[in-house]
Each structure stands twice: as structure tokens, then as C-alpha cells.
Amino acid sequence: MEAMEETRSLNFIEEKIKADLADGKFDNTVHTRFPPEPNGYLHIGHAKAICLNFGIAMANGGVCNLRFDDTNPTKEETEYVEAIKEDIKWLGFNWGDKEYYTSDYFETLYGYAVRLIEKGLAYVDHQTPEQIAEQKGTPTKPGKNSPFRNRTIEENLELFTKMRNGDFEEGVCILRAKIDMENDNMLLRDPLIYRIKKVTHHRTGDDWCVYPIYDFAHGQSDSIEGITHSLCSLEFEVHRPLYNWFIENLEIFPSEQTEFARLNLSYTILSKRKLLELVEGKHVTGWDDPRMPTLSGLRRRGYSPEAIVALCDEIGVLKRNGLTDISLLEHHLKTHLNKVAERRMAVLNPLKVTITNYPEGESELLDAVNNPEDELAGKRQVPFSREIYIEQNDFMEDAPRKFYRLSQGREVRLRYAYYITCNKLIKDTEGNITELLCTYDPETKGGKSPDGRKVKATMHWVSKEHAVDAEVRLYDRLFSTERPDKTEEGGHFADNLNPKSVEIISGKLEPELKTALIGATYQFERLGYFCKDQDSTGSSPVFNRTVALRDSWAKKK
Ligand code: ATP
Ligand code: MG
């Protein structure tokens, strides 16, 4: 906490906690939780909630629980539980043994419902969903009481037991809290709290055929766990009076809810439901497609957890919704990768260069610096030989004066190698340049000039004979509009998908990259950051472009 105070001012939640601690509230403890619903993979929005909840607990000597809010058996799966745990660990947070499941509280929650019935505060309603919806009213028109609202406590207890025992089919009846059908807050108009669902739950199997709805589980789970500060995103603000009504009437631990603004990122959709649609509609290859804003997608793309945490830190916690520019995330990513990623050479659009005065059949190993930002990263050796590849766009015929790279009669430096001069070009019958004939100056080994002669460009290259062929996936943004959720009337967010979000090419890599580990991210010199993908096989590596060095997006616009 002290360290944090030094670098930035407290956000409103931190201020509140500081005040609570000063007042001796909650016996001077801070206990938070991160409560994902296991109905999808975590996305970068969740990272904000994770950083907030774990961060606040850590800063105050408190504890943060990981609780799976698994009340809806139709949408939840064990696969999601496992993926969520992996992602939180990857971000760098640890919940120790504080792993909980709302489904472990089903018996307690059922007991809470019985308690409400016994207090005359809940009733079984046998109307159809349509009838109930009709009586609900509108924000400006009060609702109407259900004809079943005044059932006796005994009758309600008996009917609720029957619901639990499976004596009714799905949809025949529900349990509702008896609050106020005329309340200005629609959520307090006798809300549904338990419904019949004859579905198998991913953890409790077929033990239950009645399940609490989220609103009757979330707040109470906080109470059961003794959560002091229940931090929710803004959309739960209108739910707070309902949660407080439950807490008061059940006489349980008074967790205190505070709401904060969700993270919204430009060119991105952050909603599990919509991300699932992308997966099921095969618009992406899966939850971990490198174009997805999921933590598993970002990881596969080559993002570092440090970059994500740095973004969350920078945007802070606010009370008002906004839109964060995705280039801010990319900025933090490049800042971090620049420090930690080792450099390698790769040519993505190869043009063959023959160095005519370099002895045929020979090669040599040249020293190359792994990371100029990190001396400890050391050096490696790259092979050089008579035939090499350079990037096609590093050469121009009839180049204007300001084109500083290679052209006929001009000299450039090959990184870590030699100065070369282009003497001649070879073209195919259609006039495409297929090869350059160059000479090198043996006196310039290591790219150093012996006589102080200067060249304007330093170019990357790969020895043809030693090159490793790789599939390179050039990713761009998944959506082409800043707010993909905004669509024409009758449109769908998928209409805003970027048709060019991936381009697959084959590249030539320096041989060292053959032994790269899956998930390792490198800077390919002058090109960008690239991460070795899990689809790689021993003989043919696959690299994902994490982010280009320059902002290609800004240039396009
Ligand atoms: P989604 O709409 O993506 O399904 P959700 O809120 O339903 O999101 P949960 O699994 O219920 O997903 O979320 C767990 C926690 O993460 C909640 O406390 C929620 O408020 C928070 N959260 C979800 N999305 C964001 C976001 N974009 N920014 C900040 N916090 C978020
Ligand atoms: Mg939710």
C-alpha cells in the first residue's frame, strides 16, 4: 500500500477501504473475491476485476477468494473452470486454498429460501412466465400482485419441498421473494429466486432440480464467505437494494457492495456470450484464437501478463464507463517486450542476394546480441554465407534519394555481418526482380566500418542455406470498427469482423529459432514481436505476430 501511495493517488475504492479501516469497520479486515461464472473463458475485462480484487487484498494484508458462481447448470462446464484457474495463475495471482463454488452452498441457499418463506417473505407462484411478465409493469407503471401472493406459509413450504423433490415439471411454478410490486426499482417487484431445472450440474450432478437464480446466490455467497468488500461492475448497482434486502431479511453477514466501471476496449468485444458466438460460429478457431481478447488468446498471441497488468494499473478504477483505446494496451505490450524479448532475424518476404565475392561453399558464424536492453541475455551466433535473403521492400530499383535502403550502386550494412553494395539485379521474364548480385567488404566484419565510412541503413538478413522455413501468421485486429457492438439497424456485431484479421505467409528464420519453445516471444528485428505457436511441429515452426513494431493501423488510417 505504501509503495502504491507513492506512485499514484488512491482510487475511490481504495479511499473507501482506507476509511473503513480507519473506522474499524469489519474488524479491520479486508476480504475480497473474484467471482467468475464458469460459462466461458476469461477476457481482458476480467483481468481488470482480478487485478482490483487481488490487488486490494494484497495491499491491505487481506485475502481474496476465487469463487466460481456456478448457479446456472445449463451453461457451465468444467472445461471453463480449469481454463479460468490457468488464466488467473498466468496473470500472476494466487488464491491459495481459497477456492470456492456457489454450488457448494446450494443446501445453505435452499435453507435461506425456506427462511424467507417462514418469515412470510417468499411464495410459490404457479402462473405462466407470460402472466408474470404481464404483471411486472414498467418503470413508469406499477406492477400487479400475483393471485398466488397470499398463499399461507404452510402451503408455500409444502410446495417448495415438492419443487425440490422433482414433483413438478420445469416451468410449472417458481419461488418468488415477496417484496413490493409497486417499487420504483423493477428488480424489487417480487423477483424470481428459485426455478426448476431438470439438468445435470457440472459439480452437483443430479442432486438438485431446483436452482437459485444468480441474484439469490451472488450476494449471499459473499455473505457466507465473509466478504467485506464486494466489488462489482456498474451494471450491478441497481441490484444492490435487492442484495441488501436479502441480507437484512436473512440476517446474514453484511458484505458491502461497491460498483466500478467495466473495461471496454476499442476494436474489441468483451462479453462471454458474444465471444462464445464467435467460437460457435467458427469466426475464430476457438477461445484461444490469437485474435480473441480472451486471456488464453492473448497468451497464445504472445502477450505478456505484465503488459495486461500495466494496462489495468494505468486505466485505474472509475465510476463511469468509458472506452479504452486498444493502442494503449499495445503500447504497454511493446514497452514490456522491448525489455524482455530476445532479438532474432527473420525475413518474411524474401529476396535472394548472392554475394559474388564471398567464397562458394563457405560459411561463418557471426556474433549477434540477444537483447540490447538486457546485457544478461548474452549473445548467439548466426551463420553467414554467399547466398542470403533480405526483405523485398528493403530493395528498390530507381530509388529516390531518400530511400536509404538497398538500391543499385548503394551500400548498406547487414546487421552483425558486413557492408554490401548492390551491383546488378536479375529479373524474370515478367520483369520481377528475382535476385540481387552484391559484393561485400571483408574489412567490415561485424558491421563495423574500418575507415569511418558511413552507411544509412542496417538491414536484417538470413543465410539461405541455413534458413528455417516457418509458417507466419500475421494477425490484425479482429474487428474493423472501433465499437463493434454498434451495428446498423438489424445488424449483428459479427458484421463488423475484419475480413483481413489474419494473413498466413511463409518466412525464412535464422536457424536458432528452430529450438524456440512454444509460447516464447521474440522481436524479429525491424518487423515486430512474434510468438511460437502451439501448432508448431519439430520440422515446421509456426509463429504468430504478436504486434508490429510500428503502428501499421495508424498508418492505414
Ligand atoms: P461477461 O459479460 O463477459 O459474461 P460477466 O460480468 O457476466 O461478463 P462474470 O464471470 O460474471 O462475467 O465476471 C466475473 C467478474 O468479472 C465480475 O465481478 C464482473 O463484474 C467482472 N468483469 C466482467 N467483465 C468485466 C470488464 N469488462 N471489466 C471489468 N470487470 C469485469
Ligand atoms: Mg455475469
Side-chain angles (χ1 to χ4, degrees):
M1 195 69 180
E2 274 146 30
M4 271 166 56
E5 275 171 345
E6 268 169 25
T7 53
R8 62 166 174 82
S9 54
L10 298 185
N11 64 49
F12 76 97
I13 293 179
E14 291 164 340
E15 289 285 6
K16 176 184 170 0
I17 287 175
K18 196 173 156 186
D20 287 350
L21 288 172
D23 290 350
K25 209 165 162 181
F26 297 121
D27 290 333
N28 293 309
T29 57
V30 173
H31 197 157
T32 58
R33 84 285 173 268
F34 172 63
E37 238 178 300
N39 58 356
Y41 281 58
L42 296 183
H43 51 62
I44 188 164
H46 292 111
K48 174 172 177 176
I50 293 170
C51 291
L52 178 65
N53 281 295
F54 281 94
I56 282 201
M58 283 183 332
N60 293 286
V63 171
C64 180
N65 293 356
L66 168 60
R67 181 175 69 242
F68 291 97
D69 261 340
D70 55 351
T71 50
N72 186 351
T74 43
K75 292 191 176 159
E76 291 154 6
E77 285 174 30
T78 311
E79 176 200 339
Y80 296 140
V81 170
E82 294 310 316
I84 288 169
K85 291 201 265 185
E86 192 185 338
D87 289 345
I88 300 173
K89 280 191 220 150
W90 176 70
L91 268 187
F93 297 98
N94 196 331
W95 57 93
D97 59 353
K98 304 280 182 251
E99 179 176 325
Y100 301 102
Y101 294 81
T102 299
S103 54
D104 285 341
Y105 311 142
F106 280 166
E107 195 64 55
T108 309
L109 293 168
Y110 181 85
Y112 287 168
V114 170
R115 199 182 297 173
L116 285 185
I117 296 174
E118 286 168 346
K119 287 179 124 185
L121 294 174
Y123 60 98
V124 174
D125 196 333
H126 267 82
Q127 296 182 99
T128 63
E130 293 75 28
Q131 287 170 317
I132 292 174
E134 216 172 287
Q135 290 159 2
K136 188 105 201 183
T138 66
T140 50
K141 198 177 114 215
K144 285 201 202 85
N145 287 348
S146 159
F148 297 98
R149 200 173 197 260
N150 291 320
R151 278 177 155 160
T152 63
I153 291 173
E154 292 66 35
E155 194 184 356
N156 280 317
L157 285 173
E158 193 189 315
L159 289 170
F160 191 47
T161 307
K162 282 188 162 174
M163 279 170 69
R164 176 184 186 158
N165 292 343
D167 295 348
F168 298 119
E169 290 314 307
E170 271 184 35
V172 167
C173 53
I174 56 169
L175 185 72
R176 296 174 76 176
K178 189 171 175 177
I179 309 180
D180 174 12
M181 287 306 290
E182 300 192 354
N183 202 291
D184 286 344
N185 185 335
M186 301 270 292
L187 294 173
L188 294 177
R189 294 184 188 172
D190 290 11
L192 157 67
I193 56 178
Y194 256 91
R195 70 240 198 271
I196 300 165
K197 264 191 192 269
K198 300 198 169 171
V199 240
T200 308
H201 184 278
H202 77 118
R203 290 184 85 242
T204 57
D206 295 319
D207 291 355
W208 293 90
C209 61
V210 287
Y211 292 96
I213 69 141
Y214 187 82
D215 273 351
F216 194 69
H218 182 79
Q220 283 95 313
S221 301
D222 282 345
S223 293
I224 293 168
E225 292 173 16
I227 301 303
T228 56
H229 297 85
S230 170
L231 310 175
C232 291
S233 32
L234 279 184
E235 70 272 22
F236 287 98
E237 196 166 7
V238 288
H239 296 247
R240 180 162 19 106
L242 177 61
Y243 296 171
N244 288 344
W245 188 90
F246 289 138
I247 284 175
E248 268 162 47
N249 288 290
L250 292 168
E251 296 163 55
I252 53 179
F253 182 81
S255 302
E256 211 173 87
Q257 178 174 309
T258 307
E259 304 85 13
F260 64 92
R262 292 169 84 95
L263 168 69
N264 298 304
L265 266 188
S266 61
Y267 299 98
T268 310
I269 277 195
L270 296 180
S271 147
K272 279 180 284 182
R273 183 179 61 74
K274 290 179 182 163
L275 295 176
L276 177 64
E277 263 189 79
L278 292 178
V279 174
E280 289 182 334
K282 303 235 184 302
H283 297 292
V284 293
T285 57
W287 283 100
D288 68 348
D289 185 301
R291 292 165 293 180
M292 289 279 269
T294 51
L295 296 181
S296 53
L298 292 166
R299 176 166 64 236
R300 190 167 167 192
R301 176 86 169 251
Y303 272 69
S304 59
E306 288 86 346
I308 295 169
V309 172
L311 175 83
C312 294
D313 238 28
E314 167 151 6
I315 56 172
V317 180
L318 300 174
K319 193 80 196 172
R320 211 155 49 96
N321 279 319
L323 183 68
T324 299
D325 192 333
I326 194 164
S327 53
L328 186 62
L329 172 64
E330 290 165 355
H331 162 75
H332 281 292
L333 177 68
K334 286 185 235 183
T335 305
H336 181 245
L337 291 180
N338 180 49
K339 278 189 280 184
V340 301
E342 293 204 354
R343 275 54 167 173
R344 295 290 183 270
M345 291 198 288
V347 174
L348 300 187
N349 293 297
L351 173 61
K352 187 179 153 189
V353 173
T354 301
I355 299 164
T356 51
N357 60 339
Y358 195 89
E360 252 172 276
E362 276 189 28
S363 68
E364 65 188 302
L365 290 170
L366 300 167
D367 280 344
V369 174
N370 281 331
N371 185 354
E373 302 286 320
D374 175 11
E375 220 173 292
L376 294 178
K379 288 183 178 169
R380 67 186 187 286
Q381 294 196 304
V382 281
F384 184 78
S385 63
R386 185 180 155 90
E387 292 180 335
I388 61 167
Y389 293 116
I390 63 165
E391 295 290 346
Q392 281 171 24
N393 66 4
D394 275 338
F395 178 82
M396 197 189 269
E397 196 182 358
D398 304 321
R401 278 174 59 89
K402 290 228 156 136
F403 182 82
Y404 295 131
R405 289 163 275 169
L406 197 59
S407 186
Q408 238 172 322
R410 290 192 195 171
E411 187 175 45
V412 298
R413 177 193 290 115
L414 292 179
R415 187 112 161 109
Y416 307 123
Y418 296 99
Y419 284 18
I420 59 166
T421 305
C422 179
N423 307 305
K424 196 165 182 241
L425 35 154
I426 297 174
K427 293 184 179 175
D428 63 13
T429 46
E430 281 152 36
N432 301 309
I433 302 168
T434 54
E435 187 180 344
L436 305 178
L437 301 182
C438 299
T439 46
Y440 83 120
D441 176 355
E443 300 297 311
T444 56
K445 186 165 175 172
K448 293 180 197 81
S449 158
D451 53 8
R453 141 175 135 249
K454 289 214 166 65
V455 288
K456 285 252 157 100
T458 301
M459 295 174 7
H460 62 278
W461 53 274
V462 171
S463 164
K464 180 169 177 277
E465 175 196 344
H466 304 90
V468 176
D469 288 305
E471 177 178 321
V472 181
R473 300 175 179 167
L474 301 175
Y475 290 110
D476 201 345
R477 287 171 188 164
L478 184 54
F479 291 95
S480 43
T481 57
E482 196 171 37
R483 294 170 186 262
D485 261 329
K486 273 202 178 151
T487 51
E488 303 277 305
E489 213 177 287
H492 188 267
F493 70 90
D495 301 343
N496 292 325
L497 283 163
N498 175 6
K500 297 203 185 98
S501 58
V502 61
E503 183 192 351
I504 297 179
I505 60 169
S506 79
K508 305 282 183 188
L509 315 183
E510 69 166 85
E512 172 84 18
L513 284 167
K514 198 157 40 181
T515 54
L517 298 176
I518 305 279
T521 305
Y522 295 91
Q523 184 191 104
F524 288 181
E525 297 213 21
R526 300 172 66 230
L527 297 173
Y529 294 95
F530 292 77
C531 177
K532 189 162 175 187
D533 191 77
Q534 65 200 40
D535 288 346
S536 301
T537 61
S539 56
S540 51
V542 176
F543 277 85
N544 299 324
R545 181 170 69 196
T546 311
V547 65
L549 276 186
R550 254 169 270 144
D551 193 343
S552 57
W553 191 262
K555 228 167 53 189
K556 259 183 258 168
K557 285 202 292 193

